[in-house]
Amino acid sequence: MPGSVRRFACTRCGKCCNRAPEVELSEAAALSDVFVFRLMFRVYRFPREFDPERFETAQDFYARKRLLNAHAARVSRKKLMRDGRAIDYVDYLMMSALSVDTTPGSCAALHSSNCSIYERRPLACRTVPFHYSRSDASAEHDLDLFLATPGYHCNDGESAPIVIENGTIVDPSARAARKEALAIVERDVPWKRAILRAMKISTDGSLPRPEDVEAHAAFGAMTTSMRVAWQIASEAGLMRPEECAELLKTQLATIDREINSDLVTGDERQTLGEMKAEYWRALGA
């Protein structure tokens, strides 16, 4: 509606900090002293052509498609049956870093309802209640879903600043974070391509094959050690060997800290113990 506005302000209630964050590959390096990371693969399946039954407007469809193309490590075409007819789809293979959920129900960086890394929090957190991987066209819908989440204490009243105007995100901090995130996504393209090349020839089980990720798409994402991603970056000349070694040491220290946490359960402690042994081997310790 012309002239329409939507308002939002975070009250720092901490209720949306209820799970481990997912970040871009480059962000994982900067936050390796805070979170234990896994390299994550997932596939988004998207129709090749605009379907008015699934999308309100062509603008929304093409905006989403542009963002998927920007984020994807690999794009492949598929033809699938839907409602008795063949539909052309595109599979977008995505790579990101997922922090291990060592404190179920809350982010590991959340202390007494406060973010302990607020000034360096991930870009996904900086763009709340939106996400930089989604288009402006879905912003109002995303905001409605966010505000409707039980337990959230957000401010969307008249005292809150305007975040959406005429269907466009206008909040300066959200727009700046979205711009920064897309710059990181673009910068990570060579890294993702190097990982994809390694996936195609992997024989030691450290990486899934691209076709394995696609076959597993219906069941969810697949993960492997972030160590693999950092070492591939070093081997591809995208990261200095000494920088990679420092990252492995920092991540090892983070794993050690989490193992010794009173909040970690027995199963999680065993998983972290296996990761610790892996990093020790990688460092030749």
Side-chain angles (χ1 to χ4, degrees), residues 189-228:
V189 167
W191 191 356
K192 291 179 181 179
R193 288 175 178 166
I195 295 172
L196 182 60
R197 288 194 297 270
M199 292 171 70
K200 291 177 179 178
I201 61 174
S202 176
T203 58
D204 63 1
S206 62
L207 282 169
R209 297 276 186 146
E211 55 268 28
D212 294 336
V213 179
E214 291 180 0
H216 195 267
F219 305 101
M222 297 182 73
T223 68
T224 192
S225 175
M226 193 64 196
R227 170 196 62 80
V228 179

Side-chain angles (χ1 to χ4, degrees), residues 15-31:
K15 297 301 182 181
C16 68
C17 306
N18 53 11
R19 60 186 172 87
E22 178 185 348
V23 304
E24 297 299 328
L25 300 186
S26 290
E27 285 188 282
L31 293 167

Side-chain angles (χ1 to χ4, degrees), residues 23-32 37 95-97 123 181 183-189 191-192 226 229-230 238-239 243 247:
V23 304
E24 297 299 328
L25 300 186
S26 290
E27 285 188 282
L31 293 167
S32 60
F37 285 109
M95 298 179 193
S96 58
L123 287 160
I184 287 177
V185 168
E186 184 176 356
R187 189 168 69 238
D188 280 352
V189 167
W191 191 356
K192 291 179 181 179
M226 193 64 196
W230 287 325
L238 302 171
M239 180 186 295
E243 183 181 2
L247 272 173

Side-chain angles (χ1 to χ4, degrees), residues 27 53 102 120 127 131 145 159 162 170 177-178 220 223 235 237 255 265 270:
E27 285 188 282
E53 294 181 5
T102 55
R120 51 191 289 236
T127 53
H131 195 280
L145 287 178
S159 63
I162 295 172
V170 295
R178 285 164 72 87
T223 68
E235 291 162 4
I255 293 170
T265 66
Q270 180 178 343

Side-chain angles (χ1 to χ4, degrees), residues 22 71 88 90 107 122 141 162 166 168 184 237 239 257 270:
E22 178 185 348
H71 284 261
D88 288 322
V90 179
C107 173
H141 177 257
I162 295 172
N166 297 329
T168 300
I184 287 177
M239 180 186 295
R257 185 193 68 217
Q270 180 178 343

